[in-house]
Amino acid sequence: MAWQRSVAALGVAVALPLTGVTTAGTAVAALPAGSPAAVNGQLKVCGVQLCNKNGKAIQLRGMSTHGIQWFNGCNKSQWWDALTNDWKADIVRVAMYIAAKDGGYETNPRKFTDLMHSYIEEATRRGLYVLVDWHQLDPGDPNVYTAKAKTFFKEIAARHKDKTNIIYDIANEPNGVSWSKIKSYAEQLIPVIRAEDPDSLIISGTNGWSTFGHSDKQDPSVVLNNKVNATNFMYSFHFYAKDHRDDYVSVLDRVSSKVPVFVTEFGTQEATGDGPNDFAMTQKFIDLMKRKKISWANWNFSDDKRSGAVFQQGTCSGTSFSGTGKLKPAGVWVRDIVRSADQW
Ligand code: IDC
């Protein structure tokens, strides 16, 4: 406001209205001023872009947890401090495996739903966006878990519907299943979430482990010609740069010009999340994602022994997570990119 500026310029001490004060009197989750989620607010899809509350296209960057059934030991204040203040991440993806054979959600729905609530609350206190990852993987058909997914997402959405920093990913990596079956699953889940949280941003994986079918040797047109019937919806794409080369860059470039895409998981190494890094190949994806403002989360912010876990083994039993002292090479490399200036 012009009058505010001119008064301030005169150096007159007067009480000026604070920005961000609402008159509605509704309780909204407190996001720290200046944090990524406070600045950008409720996300929405605009065209093929992800936009902030002002309709400006933005790119979110951040980290995925490892499976919270295995690596909840990392979930401590210094680990969150590192992600928020040292890495300056915009987003945390919380990977909740489903299958009993992995010790996932199925083994104890109450425990894992509560654990997800606690990650969401902590991310909110930190001003991060939080991506709730229904980490179905094996079996690869998300329809196996439709009833369980509905129960889980209904409770999550009902509890957190007033937050503006939550993103729902309803299927991590569908595999061994046709796109039409994934689309059918998505169209069952979306109304369940939207009944509770109408303006929510929802993502689903695509066939071929979230490659728009490319890892299944299918053409992405199968997805592009049969889109999910929903608004505010994005498709996920995953890659592991040592195994997934220029042809995957081309697919990502092609699909992201046609539909909104979020890279909810990628690695700089082999698809096992282990083995040698290929930073030069990863850089090609990073450049594309920067140019097109495609948001991403890297796998993963844990101390697993594999090369894709950014911390050296044993780090999570201590309290030192910030800086580069405890990082593996992938961590040093990815941290630099996550830390680089936000573009909003
Ligand atoms: C891997 C974990 C490993 C676990 C395995 C379970 O690193 O500890 O035993 O899953 O199958 C993905 C998956 C992600 C994988 C990761 C690395 O989303 O769950 O984690 N990856 O293999 N897709 C491509 C790679």
Side-chain angles (χ1 to χ4, degrees):
M1 279 187 262
W3 64 270
Q4 278 184 315
R5 277 201 297 276
S6 59
V7 170
L10 291 170
V12 180
V14 291
L16 298 174
L18 293 169
T19 55
V21 173
T22 62
T23 50
T26 48
V28 284
L31 294 164
S35 63
V39 170
N40 291 291
Q42 180 62 53
L43 302 169
K44 50 182 175 285
V45 170
C46 47
V48 296
Q49 300 286 324
L50 178 63
C51 285
N52 71 8
K53 63 182 177 188
N54 301 319
K56 183 177 193 300
I58 60 166
Q59 182 198 34
L60 303 176
R61 282 162 296 175
M63 296 300 297
S64 176
T65 69
H66 204 306
I68 54 174
Q69 80 279 33
W70 293 313
F71 289 89
N72 194 44
C74 300
N75 175 15
K76 48 174 79 169
S77 64
Q78 297 88 350
W79 178 82
W80 285 97
D81 288 344
L83 183 62
T84 311
N85 304 324
D86 181 45
W87 286 58
K88 304 185 193 306
D90 306 317
I91 184 165
V92 59
R93 173 199 195 224
V94 183
M96 185 189 71
Y97 282 70
I98 312 305
K101 73 167 188 53
D102 288 323
Y105 172 88
E106 280 197 300
T107 63
N108 192 337
R110 185 69 265 144
K111 174 183 143 189
F112 282 104
T113 308
D114 286 343
L115 194 54
M116 185 61 82
H117 286 315
S118 75
Y119 275 87
I120 292 169
E121 295 299 349
E122 190 61 33
T124 304
R125 274 192 285 278
R126 305 279 179 163
L128 297 170
Y129 286 98
V130 52
L131 201 158
V132 177
D133 168 24
W134 183 258
H135 202 88
Q136 59 76 229
L137 181 64
D138 181 12
D141 180 354
N143 293 285
V144 170
Y145 295 121
T146 303
K148 291 184 168 88
K150 284 181 177 173
T151 301
F152 170 78
F153 280 107
K154 184 176 168 50
E155 178 174 324
I156 295 291
R159 174 87 65 97
H160 303 287
K161 61 175 183 255
D162 291 333
K163 294 184 171 68
T164 54
N165 62 320
I166 181 163
I167 305 170
Y168 306 87
D169 183 349
I170 57 178
N172 165 49
E173 289 189 352
N175 58 89
V177 59
S178 67
W179 168 246
S180 62
K181 286 190 178 155
I182 303 163
K183 172 180 145 82
S184 157
Y185 163 83
E187 289 173 356
Q188 292 175 65
L189 261 292
I190 292 167
V192 171
I193 297 172
R194 292 271 164 79
E196 306 293 340
D197 190 355
D199 61 355
S200 52
L201 179 68
I202 303 177
I203 302 174
S204 175
T206 49
N207 47 322
W209 294 271
S210 292
T211 64
F212 283 72
H214 190 62
S215 286
D216 273 350
K217 306 212 174 343
Q218 280 198 10
D219 194 87
S221 59
V222 173
V223 178
L224 299 176
N225 293 336
N226 190 20
K227 294 180 201 164
V228 170
N229 185 16
T231 55
N232 245 0
F233 174 81
M234 302 183 84
Y235 301 76
S236 71
F237 183 88
H238 291 179
F239 67 87
Y240 280 77
K242 184 74 184 162
D243 287 338
H244 304 141
R245 315 295 293 181
D246 292 291
D247 52 320
Y248 284 77
V249 177
S250 299
V251 170
L252 177 57
D253 193 9
R254 178 179 159 199
V255 298
S256 61
S257 292
K258 301 279 186 202
V259 292
V261 178
F262 199 128
V263 173
T264 53
E265 182 184 312
F266 78 90
T268 57
Q269 53 296 119
E270 296 168 355
T272 55
D274 204 0
N277 295 294
D278 190 334
F279 297 130
M281 189 65 222
T282 312
Q283 188 67 50
K284 295 188 187 182
F285 288 98
I286 294 287
D287 291 345
L288 172 67
M289 295 190 289
K290 181 171 184 180
R291 177 166 64 79
K292 297 183 88 173
K293 292 194 187 294
I294 299 169
S295 297
W296 53 257
N298 175 250
W299 180 262
N300 64 76
F301 209 58
S302 84
D303 67 348
D304 180 31
K305 61 176 190 250
R306 296 169 182 82
S307 63
V310 298
F311 295 108
Q312 293 161 13
Q313 252 192 305
T315 302
C316 288
S317 56
T319 55
S320 174
F321 293 89
S322 293
T324 54
K326 295 289 169 75
L327 297 178
K328 297 199 193 100
V332 174
W333 195 85
V334 170
R335 174 175 170 271
D336 264 350
I337 301 174
V338 176
R339 275 166 66 87
S340 60
D342 291 318
Q343 294 145 48
W344 48 69

